[in-house]
Amino acid sequence: MELQFQRHRRLRTSANMRALVRENHIRPEDFIYPLFIYEGENIRKEVSSMPGVFQVSMDNLQAEMEDIVAHGIRSVLLFGIPITKDACGTQAFHDHGIVQIATRYIKEHFPEIIIVADTCLCEYTDHGHCGMVEGDKILNDESLDLLVKTAVAQAKAGADIIAPSNMMDGFVAAIRAGLDEAGFTEIPIMSYAVKYASAFYGPFREAAEGAPQFGDRKTYQMDPANRLEAFREAESDVAEGADFLIVKPGMPYLDIVRDVKNNFNLPVVIYNVSGEYAMIKAAAQNGWIDEKNTVMEMLVGMKRAGADLIITYHAKDACRWLKEAE
């Protein structure tokens, strides 16, 4: 008896055949590389929980940017670590704040690089929260004014994209209005639209030195158990003028990435966060996994889920592996 069945393996017979029918691809231009700029001098400090990721001061920024460009990375996400912090995060919106200084430098020496400025207060406040604080309460509306000032200062310095990560209600509307009023109508907003109160942020808080000094961020970041809430958050940001939508973290929320991609006609960005990076690095250093193949499988999985762009600390390694495969 002749069996009738599909021969799916016909399209897997060789590396070239598999490449011919491959549905999703990773490219260097898909990546946005996070960069931690430390106020001070002679600083190039590796983050202990994130091997290969460094805090760098301005006198080391030239070499860091040359390395980034050499890898083929075209976009960076800037975080600032100031020497002094206060209750309202003054250094976030000061014209001579560390992100503004770094932005001007990069634009002068590497004008082709897209600068995405993280717009938040947590690295700049002495309490480590993303907004103004009164007692143990994080104030929403009072925080919006400071976030607008921060966004405008970053745009004045030359940032190409404003990326507010604070999760205050109305932050996109406020920042869009503030940028427009200041004459920056052409500057897009890459909103951290769907940002969960995740356990995967631990290493980042070491890198950015922005851990909350009391309580947690669960009153303004999202509950990891919720899916429908992501629709509400993204929908409001689209209505308020967002140009990109970020889902953060990455790996545990690929279903949410697909939901956002299916329901909104804006570029979707996934943030492959510090805890995800640290887990892979630790496993690879112990010889438990193949780092290259694991990272590339994860990144292509993020593209398959619907991400157009990927914020990732793996960007340098991934670009090197892509070049080696050419």
Side-chain angles (χ1 to χ4, degrees):
M1 181 177 66
E2 184 179 352
L3 297 178
Q4 298 294 324
F5 55 87
Q6 294 293 320
R7 293 194 178 274
H8 302 290
R9 291 178 59 187
R10 290 170 181 154
L11 303 184
R12 305 171 192 158
T13 55
S14 68
N16 282 344
M17 181 67 76
R18 293 189 293 274
L20 183 68
V21 298
R22 188 161 293 139
E23 299 172 28
N24 293 280
H25 299 269
I26 297 293
R27 307 169 301 168
E29 53 265 39
D30 295 331
F31 299 134
I32 301 171
Y33 184 64
L35 194 53
F36 299 96
I37 312 297
Y38 209 106
E39 191 173 9
E41 296 180 348
N42 300 316
I43 297 167
R44 189 174 186 270
K45 179 183 177 183
E46 188 171 30
V47 180
S48 64
S49 56
M50 300 175 68
V53 174
F54 293 83
Q55 299 168 326
V56 297
S57 53
M58 284 300 302
D59 51 330
N60 285 307
L61 183 56
Q62 177 74 26
E64 179 66 22
M65 287 305 304
E66 288 175 356
D67 187 50
I68 288 169
V69 170
H71 278 83
I73 297 168
R74 304 183 185 184
S75 305
V76 294
L77 173 60
L78 296 188
F79 296 95
I81 308 166
I83 292 175
T84 59
K85 303 186 180 191
D86 58 29
C88 61
T90 303
Q91 292 301 310
F93 49 84
H94 196 289
D95 283 342
H96 298 290
I98 187 60
V99 163
Q100 285 77 281
I101 293 171
T103 297
R104 287 191 288 267
Y105 182 90
I106 293 171
K107 275 299 163 190
E108 179 181 354
H109 295 89
F110 304 89
E112 73 283 2
I113 290 290
I114 294 293
I115 297 177
V116 185
D118 180 79
T119 306
C120 197
L121 302 178
C122 58
E123 298 117 82
Y124 306 92
T125 55
D126 52 15
H127 48 74
H129 278 285
C130 302
M132 293 288 290
V133 167
E134 185 176 89
D136 61 356
K137 182 179 180 180
I138 289 77
L139 304 175
N140 192 92
D141 295 8
E142 294 84 347
S143 301
L144 295 179
D145 292 337
L146 300 184
L147 294 166
V148 170
K149 291 174 67 175
T150 301
V152 170
Q154 292 168 339
K156 284 181 179 178
D160 298 289
I161 299 172
I162 298 301
S165 60
N166 52 87
M167 289 297 284
M168 298 294 117
D169 289 338
F171 69 95
V172 173
I175 289 172
R176 183 72 272 160
L179 289 172
D180 290 352
E181 184 177 342
F184 297 108
T185 58
E186 302 302 314
I187 300 294
I189 295 175
M190 182 181 285
S191 171
Y192 285 71
V194 182
K195 182 178 180 180
Y196 287 89
S198 173
F200 285 85
Y201 300 152
F204 173 88
R205 290 173 181 172
E206 177 193 352
E209 300 186 10
Q213 298 303 300
F214 67 89
D216 53 42
R217 293 173 178 157
K218 293 181 180 179
T219 62
Y220 47 104
Q221 295 178 0
M222 291 172 52
D223 185 337
N226 291 354
R227 174 173 174 256
L228 296 180
E229 186 180 1
F231 289 87
R232 299 196 296 272
E233 287 281 0
E235 186 174 29
S236 63
D237 284 7
V238 171
E240 292 172 17
D243 300 282
F244 303 79
L245 300 173
I246 297 176
V247 176
K248 179 183 182 182
M251 287 194 294
Y253 299 94
L254 295 181
D255 60 321
I256 306 300
V257 174
R258 175 46 60 186
D259 285 338
V260 172
K261 183 67 172 179
N262 286 347
N263 286 276
F264 302 97
N265 294 319
L266 291 177
V268 176
V269 186
I270 191 169
Y271 199 139
N272 176 212
V273 299
S274 60
E276 300 167 42
Y277 175 87
M279 288 193 302
I280 287 180
K281 282 290 185 181
Q285 287 181 351
N286 279 284
W288 297 334
I289 60 171
D290 180 297
E291 181 178 359
K292 172 184 173 182
N293 289 329
T294 302
V295 170
M296 298 307 286
E297 181 179 340
M298 175 188 66
L299 295 175
V300 81
M302 291 175 175
K303 291 295 294 289
R304 190 184 64 248
D308 299 291
L309 302 170
I310 304 172
I311 302 169
T312 180
Y313 305 95
H314 292 290
K316 288 183 181 180
D317 288 335
C319 285
R320 186 178 73 254
W321 295 327
L322 289 169
K323 186 174 292 187
E324 290 171 355
E326 290 178 354

